[in-house]
Amino acid sequence: MLIQHASWIRMKDADALVVPVFRRIFTCRGRVKEAALEVTCDGVYEAQLNGSRVGDFILAPGWTEYSKRLQVQRYDITSMLRENSAGHNSAQENSSGENCLEVTVGNGWFRRTNAPWTGTQNPDEFLPAMLIAALHIVYEDGREEVILTDDSWEVSRSTVTLSGIFIGEDVDMTLEMKFEKVQICVYPKNILIEQEGPPVREQEILCPCRSFRTPKGEWVLDFGQNMTGYMAFEMDAHAGERLSLSTAEVLDRDGNFYTANYRSARSQLHYICREGHQSYKPRLTFFGFRYLRIDEAPENFSEDQIHAIVLHSELTRTGWLASSSPLLNQLFENIIWSQKGNYLDIPTDCPQRDERYGWTGDGQIFCRTATYQYDVRQFFRKWLGDMRSAQHENGWIPEVIPSLTAYNPGGAAWSDAVTIIPWQLYETYGDISYISDMYEAMERWIAYIPTVSKTPYLWTGCWTYGDWLALDAPPDYHPATIELSKRGYSNDDLVCSAFYANSVDIVIRAGKLLGRDVKVYEELHSQIVSAFQKTFEGRMNTQTEKVLALHFNLASSPETLAAALAKQIRACGMKLQTGLLGTPYLLHELTRYGYSEIAWSLLLRREYPGWLYSVSRGATTVWEHWDGIKPDGSFWDDDMNSYNHYAYGCVADWVFGKACGIQPLEPGFARAKIEPHPDRRVQSMSAVLDTVHGRIRSAWKYTDSGIRYEIETPVQTEIILGNKKRVVEKGRYIFGN
Ligand code: BGC
């Protein structure tokens, strides 16, 4: 990359909160054949050439493990250049050939300062905004010109006066630019890599569906959908007039605007107008919201002048679920929206509060659903690259990827993302490179566990998030205030050991695929299983304890354990009690051992705790807590209460895989199995999955005379309906009547 020859530049004496705009004016000395810009920064940037945006990658350069990897974008700017002869180029207005490249650099994730008013961070301690870029012009006569960032560039404070992921954006359009010479600075260039992930782009536009006054008298717009993105407006205004907008995910029980669950994140845009007609949208940040409060606006401003723009990584949709139940369909929609809202360059836990991290636990819990709903191959390739880079020397995987310096090892189920996610990608897409790329990292992870465990062949005595958010926790339960060991009644040692067994099992399967000798791991796995049975058999009390033992094949008599699980769920009123770790596998294990009816009851439950509870309360995304809003309209809490947290959306993989029954018999669905588990409480259901081998569709419908199945498959498929199994070739099939 040419950019390796450029220098990092910065604004002299600017602290970390200054949002500079770097500028280079240059003249094209002839007719241009092709031209490209390579650029990146230690924040997020927006580049403009001659007043037009370069490229459509929002929040470039994206978020990676910055100490090791920083993506460089390469844009074709041929058609944007002004040439100095009467050329063929459409951007011609100015025949002198003078061009102006401007790049504004905000804090972004790289320098993710907390909001300055929280007083927890001193901007002087952070890096200033820095830019590095290379422009390459090839003229039609064969000459070439290279313009690199160096001391010939200029810089000024930009009209963005404050910017950050948790800060929102302050803009002053009356500010005049005062350009000065840049300062060259020393910063590593060996971290620069080519763009790896799919870009984040503007995807959809939403117009307000309602404009109203709250009981407190505030002017609020409702976009009808909780989403991730920003607002955009166009208006006439006088210089100095202000437009101030705040965002919210939900209204409180009285119908008032509610922002406490953003915690310290200031989710606002403050815009000072220039004179005349103008339009704007934030350039260096994003928000998670459904509602917009207009705190201050120029006279005559109306809701017609504003809309919302949905952002997410560019991903192709591959999975669709539909049913005869409007509530279920809304749940399916909510899961899609939570994936869209949280697949913004990395898989995040939530897109709105002062977190928005790549929590490894949430990432692995939702991963199978994610691979069914969208083509996430490139998206995860990049994130797994960051995971490898972030892995600690001694083998542990941080709890969030990209990592944050102050953060910890993730522990069971979080760090196990290093085995679970590559294996899932292999299973969904049949691409062995996920395994070969990650095998060493997987091995290092399972080698780390015995170095910290207190018991041979188990994983005990270690810190863990346990069955996070489990409902069988003590009554005074609050994850932020209570000892970690009390987060749910599931035994932490059992939970950790079960995930240890699973990761070793994945390493065995992965190693075999790569032709490695895995005898040592096989021996280790059988030791873990027998230690597990010796230690925990007869002590599997909670739903999650049973589910994990079943799912990871650790129980000596699984049928008995499954029967006990079914009995327990019935006895507590057909309610799940599982947290983040038990929930993803609960319905699968019930179905696997013949208790589909209970799995369906849990799915269809409209009361707390149940997937349809939030839906019946008007949710448009998946909530972090089953009762994020309680039946009386009060909130679970102000803290840690996100309304766009996809983890429980993992139930979609049960709907694809069990309710509609689509499963891979060979990786990538090169051969498939279709074994639906219908339930009369739902009249009809269908799943469509675009696999790498083509489209699979499985649909069923109850009719007057029984049930009718429609199956479409691009590959040889085992179809199991009731007790009858048949093998069919590619084609469309109808069974039943
Ligand atoms: C996140 C979770 C995450 C957890 C760790 C929370 O704040 O939002 O989803 O996995 O911390 O337990």
Side-chain angles (χ1 to χ4, degrees), residues 349-350 353 355 359 362 414 465 468 580 624 640 645:
D349 58 334
C350 57
R353 68 174 177 231
E355 206 154 358
W359 278 101
D362 307 54
W414 272 259
Y465 283 113
W468 184 250
L580 241 55
E624 181 171 20
M640 241 196 71
H645 233 72

Side-chain angles (χ1 to χ4, degrees), residues 275-286:
E275 188 65 32
H277 193 75
Q278 54 210 291
S279 60
Y280 193 78
K281 54 192 177 187
R283 295 149 68 196
L284 305 163
T285 193
F286 68 95

Side-chain angles (χ1 to χ4, degrees), residues 43-59:
V44 290
Y45 69 83
E46 189 207 56
Q48 291 198 1
L49 184 55
N50 301 324
S52 301
R53 193 181 210 285
V54 177
D56 56 3
F57 183 170
I58 311 297
L59 302 167

Side-chain angles (χ1 to χ4, degrees), residues 713-731:
T713 175
V715 291
Q716 191 187 72
T717 296
E718 252 179 34
I719 299 178
I720 305 177
L721 302 175
N723 294 327
K724 194 155 178 202
K725 174 160 136 185
R726 19 169 118 60
V727 177
V728 301
E729 299 303 319
K730 168 183 163 100

Side-chain angles (χ1 to χ4, degrees), residues 381 388 422 426 430-439 514:
R381 201 175 286 289
R388 284 197 302 275
Y426 171 65
D431 182 345
I432 199 173
S433 68
Y434 292 104
I435 302 292
S436 45
D437 287 353
M438 295 301 288
Y439 191 67
L514 300 177

Side-chain angles (χ1 to χ4, degrees), residues 335-646:
I335 298 171
I336 287 288
W337 273 99
S338 278
Q339 181 167 0
K340 294 199 283 196
N342 283 293
Y343 272 37
L344 188 104
D345 209 51
I346 62 156
T348 55
D349 58 334
C350 57
Q352 76 298 76
R353 68 174 177 231
D354 51 359
E355 206 154 358
R356 315 185 198 182
Y357 297 140
W359 278 101
T360 45
D362 307 54
Q364 72 72 8
I365 288 162
F366 190 70
C367 175
R368 184 183 293 152
T369 291
T371 64
Y372 287 176
Q373 297 192 140
Y374 285 91
D375 180 347
V376 292
R377 284 177 285 183
Q378 206 51 39
F379 181 81
F380 271 110
R381 201 175 286 289
K382 162 178 170 282
W383 194 61
L384 291 175
D386 292 312
M387 192 181 282
R388 284 197 302 275
S389 299
Q391 186 166 25
H392 198 265
E393 273 168 24
N394 64 11
W396 61 260
I397 300 284
E399 58 190 359
V400 295
I401 306 282
S403 66
L404 307 168
T405 43
Y407 272 70
N408 307 311
W414 272 259
S415 297
D416 291 295
V418 71
T419 55
I420 296 172
I421 293 179
W423 187 261
Q424 185 58 54
L425 291 162
Y426 171 65
E427 219 172 70
T428 303
Y429 301 116
D431 182 345
I432 199 173
S433 68
Y434 292 104
I435 302 292
S436 45
D437 287 353
M438 295 301 288
Y439 191 67
E440 192 199 325
M442 295 182 190
E443 280 189 302
R444 289 175 57 211
W445 166 240
I446 59 163
Y448 162 78
I449 295 170
T451 68
V452 288
S453 172
K454 305 286 175 283
T455 321
Y457 305 120
L458 293 177
W459 186 1
T460 63
C462 290
W463 176 87
T464 173
Y465 283 113
D467 190 22
W468 184 250
L469 306 187
L471 301 183
D472 50 15
D476 58 346
Y477 162 77
H478 188 300
T481 54
I482 209 161
E483 273 174 60
L484 278 168
S485 59
K486 293 196 192 136
R487 287 172 182 171
Y489 279 132
S490 290
N491 179 326
D492 285 345
D493 290 344
L494 184 154
V495 167
C496 291
S497 300
F499 274 92
Y500 178 32
N502 180 53
S503 278
V504 173
D505 185 44
I506 291 175
V507 171
I508 294 169
R509 284 182 266 151
K512 282 183 181 163
L513 274 178
L514 300 177
R516 305 288 171 92
D517 180 356
V518 293
K519 272 200 208 79
V520 184
Y521 296 130
E522 285 176 327
E523 173 59 19
L524 172 63
H525 188 258
S526 71
Q527 298 277 18
I528 296 173
V529 175
S530 59
F532 186 93
Q533 293 179 349
K534 231 198 294 165
T535 315
F536 301 116
E537 208 119 73
R539 290 175 57 200
M540 290 180 229
N541 301 316
T542 66
Q543 293 182 9
T544 289
E545 289 170 350
K546 294 185 178 76
V547 169
L548 294 182
L550 289 169
H551 194 71
F552 298 142
N553 300 312
L554 299 169
S556 61
S557 80
E559 277 79 14
T560 319
L561 191 62
L565 174 65
K567 192 169 160 201
Q568 184 175 13
I569 296 172
R570 285 201 185 98
C572 74
M574 218 41 123
K575 286 188 213 150
L576 59 74
Q577 299 289 294
T578 46
L580 241 55
L581 304 193
T583 306
Y585 309 135
L586 178 62
L587 274 53
H588 284 283
E589 292 313 303
L590 287 166
T591 307
R592 178 178 173 195
Y593 289 99
Y595 303 97
S596 252
E597 201 192 324
I598 301 184
W600 273 102
S601 298
L602 296 176
L603 175 71
L604 295 175
R605 204 180 143 86
R606 292 186 195 195
E607 303 81 32
Y608 161 81
W611 273 278
L612 298 186
Y613 171 72
S614 63
V615 175
S616 52
R617 297 232 34 135
T620 58
T621 36
V622 181
W623 294 353
E624 181 171 20
H625 299 276
W626 299 106
D627 55 345
I629 298 175
K630 292 176 179 290
D632 68 0
S634 62
F635 296 120
W636 181 83
D637 199 90
D638 287 339
D639 182 32
M640 241 196 71
N641 197 5
S642 143
Y643 295 95
N644 199 352
H645 233 72
Y646 54 46

